[in-house]
Amino acid sequence: MKNQEELFLDFLARKRLKNTSQRMIILKSFLRQSLHLSTEDFYLQLRKKHPAIGYATVHRTLKLFAECGIAAERNFGDGQTRFEVNYDNEHHDHLVCTGCGKIIEFENRQIEQLQLDVARTHNFFIKDHRLELYGLCAACHASEASSLS
Amino acid sequence: MKNQEELFLDFLARKRLKNTSQRMIILKSFLRQSLHLSTEDFYLQLRKKHPAIGYATVHRTLKLFAECGIAAERNFGDGQTRFEVNYDNEHHDHLVCTGCGKIIEFENRQIEQLQLDVARTHNFFIKDHRLELYGLCAACHASEASSLS
DNA sequence: TGTATTTTGAAATCCGTTTTCATTTTCTTG
DNA sequence: CAAGAAAATGAAAACGGATTTCAAAATACA
Ligand SMILES: [Mn+2]
Ligand SMILES: [Mn+2]
Ligand SMILES: [Zn+2]
Ligand SMILES: [Zn+2]
């Protein structure tokens, strides 16, 4: 099993892309700290240590990560694309708190199986899916209840 | 059971909004022909019969429909918001063909129940959810298979 | 009616994303 | 270790869908 860094280097070689210091810095930073960060937020983080790296490069590199499979691109309906590390191509779905923005990951084999059933009954060939549950986390639910007049 | 038109008129009255000819024309057109149309596409349709109605008015009116519950706002990941009539607040999810854009609606009580289970195990209070299955419809799947070299 | 209030349509603006372009860096080959 | 070809970079511009602005028009209510 290759690690994320090796996977990315292989990808670069295969596509005749060049291995630059910016790409390595962005990769390491991404693997270290990223969890559902928007390009903007990730860029702002990175800029603290590496102010010379431009937004365009960050954007382009995150896209490369998604293309080679070490990142997943997510959209939780707030108009901002988010990226997260995609370990071993393991799939998961999300609970999104509309109160505080907290994101909880989950995986449910039964739901996945039922999705396949749905697709089959419609002669549909599934390539991908997205399931997001929106609502309030325990903390936000409690604070909303207590603030009702 | 009130129909969509009555619901919208009630909504306008409740919010002290005015009943204009544009709003009625847009409402009737929307109820008649809309199925997962983007604002742009809906506007282009409408313009054929009503060229004097502006895009901004169409956009604002579709938002009103969503606000009062007679329309549902959808986003299938192509960067365009789509609207559809939301009959009787009945929920459904979607199969989206990435080949031809075809959209098939489905409803699966078991999946809905399992979602509630997931939420409960995470002490999450669900308000809404979205489930989309992306892939190829039967026709697109067949044509892709036949075009492989 | 008169008049306050809302709505309208065109155009401008917003805002996240993507592209452009001149310059710099990387990589290959002799 | 050059040099030349190819690709990457960063700043700024462009893009595209969504939203807002604003002056003129339409509506609702007394
Ligand atoms: Mn995740
Ligand atoms: Mn639908
Ligand atoms: Zn929360
Ligand atoms: Zn299709």
Side-chain angles (χ1 to χ4, degrees):
Chain A
M1 173 62 72
K2 290 195 164 160
N3 66 27
Q4 315 296 103
E5 202 164 322
E6 288 168 329
L7 284 171
F8 186 56
L9 291 173
D10 286 356
F11 172 78
L12 291 181
R14 194 160 4 103
K15 302 262 282 185
R16 314 273 142 97
L17 302 178
K18 291 173 178 172
N19 182 357
T20 68
S21 63
Q22 289 92 335
R23 282 177 176 161
M24 287 309 112
I25 289 167
I26 293 169
L27 175 59
K28 281 177 179 134
S29 175
F30 180 69
L31 292 175
R32 196 177 323 117
Q33 49 161 321
S34 152
L35 34 96
H36 315 110
L37 251 55
S38 68
T39 308
E40 176 76 15
D41 288 346
F42 179 71
Y43 167 70
L44 292 176
Q45 275 298 319
L46 187 76
R47 195 169 66 171
K48 293 176 188 167
K49 298 265 181 180
H50 301 280
I53 297 181
Y55 181 94
T57 300
V58 170
H59 167 261
R60 285 183 286 228
T61 306
L62 290 176
K63 289 299 235 185
L64 287 179
F65 294 168
E67 190 183 343
C68 78
I70 66 177
E73 219 167 324
R74 305 282 186 186
N75 193 304
F76 296 141
D78 64 349
Q80 287 207 279
T81 301
R82 290 155 189 279
F83 291 85
E84 69 172 315
V85 184
N86 192 23
Y87 293 106
D88 302 333
N89 278 309
E90 272 179 28
H91 170 79
H92 63 261
D93 295 299
H94 298 88
L95 286 151
V96 181
C97 177
T98 52
C100 65
K102 181 176 182 181
I103 291 168
I104 299 172
E105 304 184 332
F106 72 91
E107 217 238 317
N108 187 296
R109 293 252 127 256
Q110 293 180 78
I111 291 178
E112 307 277 323
Q113 181 55 53
L114 286 165
Q115 288 174 5
L116 295 178
D117 296 347
V118 167
R120 186 165 43 244
T121 65
H122 289 89
N123 286 310
F124 214 86
F125 183 77
I126 291 188
K127 287 181 168 169
D128 193 14
H129 73 265
R130 52 187 293 184
L131 171 57
E132 288 134 28
L133 310 181
Y134 295 94
L136 295 177
C137 70
C140 287
H141 190 206
S143 73
E144 183 176 85
S146 69
S147 74
L148 288 179
S149 58
Chain B
M1 171 65 73
K2 288 192 166 167
N3 67 28
Q4 314 296 103
E5 201 164 325
E6 287 167 330
L7 284 171
F8 186 57
L9 291 172
D10 285 357
F11 172 78
L12 292 180
R14 194 160 7 101
K15 301 262 282 186
R16 311 276 142 98
L17 301 177
K18 290 174 178 173
N19 182 357
T20 69
S21 63
Q22 288 93 332
R23 282 176 176 161
M24 287 308 111
I25 288 168
I26 293 169
L27 175 59
K28 282 177 178 137
S29 175
F30 181 70
L31 293 176
R32 196 177 322 118
Q33 49 162 324
S34 153
L35 33 99
H36 314 111
L37 252 54
S38 68
T39 308
E40 177 74 16
D41 288 345
F42 179 70
Y43 167 70
L44 291 177
Q45 275 298 319
L46 187 77
R47 194 169 67 170
K48 294 176 188 168
K49 297 267 182 180
H50 301 280
I53 297 181
Y55 181 93
T57 300
V58 170
H59 167 262
R60 286 183 287 229
T61 305
L62 290 176
K63 289 300 238 182
L64 287 179
F65 293 167
E67 189 183 343
C68 78
I70 66 176
E73 223 167 321
R74 304 283 185 185
N75 193 304
F76 295 140
D78 64 348
Q80 288 205 278
T81 301
R82 289 155 191 277
F83 290 86
E84 68 173 316
V85 182
N86 192 23
Y87 293 107
D88 303 332
N89 279 310
E90 271 178 28
H91 170 80
H92 63 262
D93 294 299
H94 298 89
L95 285 152
V96 181
C97 178
T98 52
C100 65
K102 181 176 181 180
I103 292 168
I104 299 172
E105 305 184 333
F106 72 91
E107 218 238 317
N108 186 297
R109 292 253 127 256
Q110 294 180 78
I111 292 179
E112 307 278 321
Q113 181 55 51
L114 287 165
Q115 288 174 6
L116 295 178
D117 295 349
V118 168
R120 186 165 45 241
T121 65
H122 289 89
N123 284 312
F124 214 87
F125 183 76
I126 291 188
K127 288 180 168 170
D128 194 12
H129 73 264
R130 52 185 295 182
L131 171 58
E132 288 133 28
L133 310 180
Y134 295 94
L136 295 177
C137 69
C140 287
H141 189 206
S143 74
E144 182 176 85
S146 70
S147 75
L148 287 178
S149 57

